[in-house]
Amino acid sequence: MDQAVRSAVKAATADCDRNAWDAGNCPVRDVMNRISGKWSTLLLEALAEKPHRFGELRRLVPDISQRMLTQTLRDLQRDGYIEREVFPTKPPSVEYRMTPLGRSLFGPLSKVLAWAAENHDAVRAARRSFDDAGLA
Amino acid sequence: MDQAVRSAVKAATADCDRNAWDAGNCPVRDVMNRISGKWSTLLLEALAEKPHRFGELRRLVPDISQRMLTQTLRDLQRDGYIEREVFPTKPPSVEYRMTPLGRSLFGPLSKVLAWAAENHDAVRAARRSFDDAGLA
DNA sequence: AGTGCTGGTCTATTTTTGAGACTGACATCG
DNA sequence: CGATGTCAGTCTCAAAAATAGACCAGCACT
């Protein structure tokens, strides 16, 4: 398993290693920089379940500002993870839904999310012992 | 497969859904907020391969500032993903290496990294067609 | 004495994020 | 009729975070 991971990473970063992860040149960084935004995973998680409208997402993630919701949705749309459809209803409504590309990303991504949920306690424990040991 | 993902996510977010991802309450957000920093994955990637010293990491990720390198390493250490060891050599050197916890995170995480490498072209294509279609 | 290496810290500046008011077409309430 | 609310955003300005780059101490070599 460790070997499998090793080779996956090697393949994943082959282009980067040449330039030591040169900023604009590294596919991994280019893709990850969007995914790893504060809100991106939350929204992908919500939209993985089912399509949602703007206001629904706002209620689902209560502490996101409208500004960041708009922007993050647009970024996710730009990179092809989600689609936006406007319905010409009386107050026009907008629905966001995941694309096949987004769904294919969410496969691996959900594994990380699951890891986070499972290991939250271990992380909290590590954090406590770090804080207790001298350097806050 | 879709079903498997669905249930994994459901388990992962069970606590969150109750409070609609309430900020300080959600394990996933708590863990992800650290992982998803701009530099965290890069450093985890580097240290997954083998232990490295501060200066090595700096050269490996050329466009990180010393301040962010120091801080990101400390954050990763605090959450228990990496360890820091100081060697009392003549110019004292510091080695960073992954912990078992970090390694266990890196399993799923490396899958996402691999996805990023594989699908970089698709993302770039999506980005282009979005930009070409009117709204820049 | 001067230079370079180590792993950092400190300060000032730029970038990102966030809170909150505002838009505009329509619907509902009194 | 006029007030208010919903919808999906935009705009402005302040706060928070990231960055660049100078600086530090200790030691080795020349």
Side-chain angles (χ1 to χ4, degrees):
Chain A
M1 172 56 172
D2 195 39
Q3 185 52 43
V5 166
R6 196 67 64 95
S7 66
V9 174
K10 186 165 185 175
T13 61
D15 291 347
C16 298
D17 285 336
R18 258 190 273 288
N19 306 319
W21 293 292
D22 181 33
N25 220 345
C26 174
V28 175
R29 288 180 67 166
D30 189 26
V31 173
M32 290 304 289
N33 276 348
R34 255 178 222 302
I35 296 170
S36 70
K38 184 174 180 181
W39 307 108
S40 307
T41 48
L42 277 303
L43 295 178
L44 288 176
E45 212 173 329
L47 294 174
E49 195 213 338
K50 62 185 178 65
H52 285 287
R53 300 181 29 197
F54 188 88
E56 287 181 306
L57 292 169
R58 213 156 88 72
R59 282 184 289 277
L60 229 64
V61 186
D63 56 345
I64 194 174
S65 63
Q66 283 188 323
R67 189 188 178 289
M68 286 316 289
L69 181 54
T70 302
Q71 197 192 80
T72 307
L73 286 171
R74 229 207 303 277
D75 287 347
L76 291 175
Q77 186 196 355
R78 189 169 102 99
D79 279 19
Y81 302 130
I82 66 177
E83 283 174 332
R84 196 182 104 113
E85 188 174 1
V86 181
F87 295 102
T89 54
K90 285 320 151 71
S93 66
V94 180
E95 191 180 86
Y96 293 91
R97 84 173 58 81
M98 228 178 217
T99 62
L101 184 68
R103 222 160 272 288
S104 101
L105 162 65
F106 196 70
L109 185 58
S110 68
K111 299 296 201 313
V112 176
L113 266 31
W115 186 96
E118 278 169 32
N119 297 85
H120 184 221
D121 289 344
V123 170
R124 280 223 319 257
R127 227 175 262 177
R128 252 195 315 282
S129 76
F130 180 89
D131 290 347
D132 290 352
L135 300 157
Chain B
M1 171 54 173
D2 195 41
Q3 186 52 43
V5 166
R6 196 67 63 95
S7 64
V9 173
K10 185 165 187 175
T13 61
D15 291 345
C16 297
D17 285 338
R18 257 189 274 286
N19 305 317
W21 292 292
D22 182 31
N25 220 347
C26 175
V28 175
R29 287 180 68 166
D30 188 28
V31 173
M32 289 305 289
N33 276 349
R34 253 176 224 302
I35 295 169
S36 68
K38 185 173 178 182
W39 307 108
S40 307
T41 48
L42 276 304
L43 296 177
L44 288 175
E45 212 173 328
L47 293 173
E49 195 214 338
K50 64 184 177 66
H52 284 288
R53 302 189 18 205
F54 187 88
E56 285 181 307
L57 291 169
R58 213 157 87 73
R59 281 185 288 277
L60 228 62
V61 187
D63 56 346
I64 193 175
S65 64
Q66 283 189 322
R67 191 186 182 289
M68 286 317 290
L69 181 54
T70 301
Q71 195 192 84
T72 306
L73 285 171
R74 229 209 299 281
D75 287 347
L76 291 175
Q77 186 196 355
R78 190 170 103 97
D79 279 17
Y81 302 130
I82 65 177
E83 282 172 333
R84 196 181 103 112
E85 188 174 1
V86 182
F87 296 101
T89 52
K90 286 319 153 63
S93 66
V94 179
E95 191 181 85
Y96 293 89
R97 84 172 60 80
M98 225 175 219
T99 62
L101 185 67
R103 222 160 273 287
S104 103
L105 161 65
F106 196 70
L109 185 58
S110 68
K111 300 295 203 312
V112 176
L113 266 32
W115 187 95
E118 278 170 33
N119 297 83
H120 185 220
D121 288 345
V123 170
R124 280 223 320 258
R127 226 175 267 176
R128 251 196 315 281
S129 77
F130 180 90
D131 290 346
D132 289 354
L135 299 157

